[in-house]
Amino acid sequence: MGKRNLIKLSVVVPVRDVELYISDALTSLIRNAHRDFEFIVVDDGSADATGQIIEDFREDLPGLVVLRNERPVGLADARNLGVSLASGRYLTFMDGDDWLAPGYLTDLVGAIERLGCDFVRVDHVQVEGRRRVIHRAPPAPREVVLKPRDHILPAEVRTMVDYPYAWAGIYRRDLGDLLTFPGHLHTAEDRPWIWRLHRQASSFGVVSLAGLFYRRMVPGSLTRIGDARQLHFFDAFDLVFADLEDEFAPKAARTFCALLAHHLELADRFSPELRARFERRGVEALRRLPGDLLAGTRLDPERDQILRRLLEAR
């Protein structure tokens, strides 16, 4: 039996132009390495020194598998490539500008084996400069097996579909297509992903484990760039709404409206032309929502006003 047939955990790490951070990421994987773990790093067309730094780790990181896209295909498809080549019983993700606490992956595997469910969601540590803040997964009973569909609602509070980070969890690889991302999206690809996972998987759990350190507001990240990829936000929610059960429509509508208002609050990062396109897409999307559904979507007064101004201006 080949070594890859004995893999317990596959870690998929898409990277692009992260030469400032990739050494930290890979060093943290060395501190998590185990004989039955594999680390699939997908270099998505990096134009800086990222690829060479990865090569420097080949002898130090057991289980390292390196793939390279000559041209960037985007985070979703880079993840999908890694998922397609994974051979572990379980799967998790990490981004190339983040890092893991020593022993975190062993604890993560222990959590899903202890609960015996389809996937497990965990907390994480958000990093901004020297600041560290633990962000907890949405309220849910911990250390018990739950039904994913039962933790989409209620609409007016933060639930598991509002915590879309793929790297904040571990998943049975035999979930198959539920673990793939809509590849044509270059932002918000995790929104339809988390909705589909919670609508179609059979079981999950939440555990109190915070060993992934997420760098927020990294230069070059899409959270700081106002280019045309931001329009994929609308395409992502088109996928969320597609074939959505009526019971979940209020939640999807409220989440969409809250995120739309958030993007509009940050609209100064857009060029005038892109801002006009974004606002036009926003109006079109709001007007496609049934009137009673939109009327029942109550946000805080400031964001409600942002959406009202948008609709009144067009």
Side-chain angles (χ1 to χ4, degrees):
M1 184 177 292
K3 181 178 182 294
R4 284 179 63 81
N5 293 326
L6 300 174
I7 298 299
K8 179 171 285 188
L9 176 68
S10 299
V11 184
V12 174
V13 189
V15 302
R16 182 185 176 191
D17 293 337
V18 287
E19 62 181 3
L20 296 179
Y21 311 109
I22 189 62
S23 290
D24 289 346
L26 296 178
T27 298
S28 78
L29 292 181
I30 291 173
R31 294 170 179 163
N32 275 271
H34 196 275
R35 60 181 175 78
D36 54 3
F37 292 177
E38 67 177 359
F39 306 99
I40 303 173
V41 177
V42 182
D43 182 359
D44 190 30
S46 292
D48 63 3
T50 296
Q52 183 55 56
I53 295 170
I54 295 169
E55 290 300 316
D56 292 342
F57 276 81
R58 278 194 183 272
E59 294 185 3
D60 299 316
L61 180 54
L64 176 62
V65 178
V66 182
L67 308 167
R68 177 172 170 79
N69 295 324
E70 290 303 319
R71 295 182 180 180
V73 298
L75 174 62
D77 273 328
R79 279 180 176 163
N80 289 343
L81 177 58
V83 170
S84 72
L85 296 176
S87 59
R89 181 179 182 187
Y90 306 112
L91 181 78
T92 191
F93 300 92
M94 186 178 81
D95 289 346
D97 49 8
D98 299 336
W99 77 93
L100 307 179
Y104 167 72
L105 293 179
T106 298
D107 291 340
L108 201 57
V109 170
I112 196 167
E113 291 192 327
R114 184 169 65 249
L115 293 176
C117 51
D118 284 343
F119 65 98
V120 169
R121 304 291 279 159
V122 300
D123 307 323
H124 70 276
V125 182
Q126 183 171 290
V127 178
E128 290 188 57
R130 295 184 177 180
R131 191 165 178 255
R132 309 283 189 271
V133 178
I134 293 179
H135 281 242
R136 288 173 58 83
R142 299 201 167 203
E143 293 288 347
V144 296
V145 178
L146 306 166
K147 293 182 179 180
R149 290 174 66 90
D150 291 348
H151 292 269
I152 295 175
L153 299 174
E156 65 277 4
V157 301
R158 181 171 173 262
T159 69
M160 299 307 300
V161 292
D162 300 311
Y163 191 73
Y165 316 111
W167 36 255
I170 183 170
Y171 317 89
R172 291 179 60 95
R173 191 170 59 87
D174 60 14
L175 286 171
D177 288 345
L178 291 184
L179 298 181
T180 61
F181 297 81
H184 61 287
L185 299 180
H186 287 262
T187 190
E189 74 291 327
D190 49 4
R191 294 289 175 174
W193 178 85
I194 195 68
W195 271 87
R196 186 175 61 169
L197 190 63
H198 271 272
R199 289 171 59 208
Q200 297 185 25
S202 298
S203 61
F204 87 112
V206 185
V207 301
S208 297
L209 177 61
L212 184 140
F213 292 77
Y214 161 58
R215 294 187 203 262
R216 190 168 180 271
M217 303 300 285
V218 171
S221 69
L222 272 179
T223 54
R224 301 192 66 175
I225 295 176
D227 66 21
R229 289 174 291 179
Q230 297 291 352
L231 295 171
H232 289 189
F233 159 74
F234 298 104
D235 302 317
F237 270 89
D238 284 345
L239 292 176
V240 171
F241 282 108
D243 301 319
L244 187 67
E245 300 91 332
D246 289 345
E247 64 182 301
F248 297 136
K251 178 63 175 178
R254 192 177 194 281
T255 302
F256 169 76
C257 289
L259 289 171
L260 174 59
H262 172 71
H263 279 291
L264 292 170
E265 287 173 325
L266 302 175
D268 287 345
R269 62 186 166 158
F270 297 151
S271 68
E273 185 271 340
L274 183 59
R275 180 169 184 160
R277 289 174 63 192
F278 193 92
E279 290 179 350
R280 184 166 61 251
R281 290 285 302 270
V283 169
E284 291 169 355
L286 290 173
R287 288 178 176 163
R288 282 199 302 269
L289 293 175
D292 58 341
L293 194 61
L294 185 59
T297 302
R298 291 183 294 275
L299 307 177
D300 61 79
E302 184 175 340
R303 288 188 169 176
D304 269 338
Q305 186 176 22
I306 289 172
L307 297 185
R308 282 199 302 272
R309 284 201 301 262
L310 177 67
L311 287 169
E312 290 167 358
R314 292 178 178 268

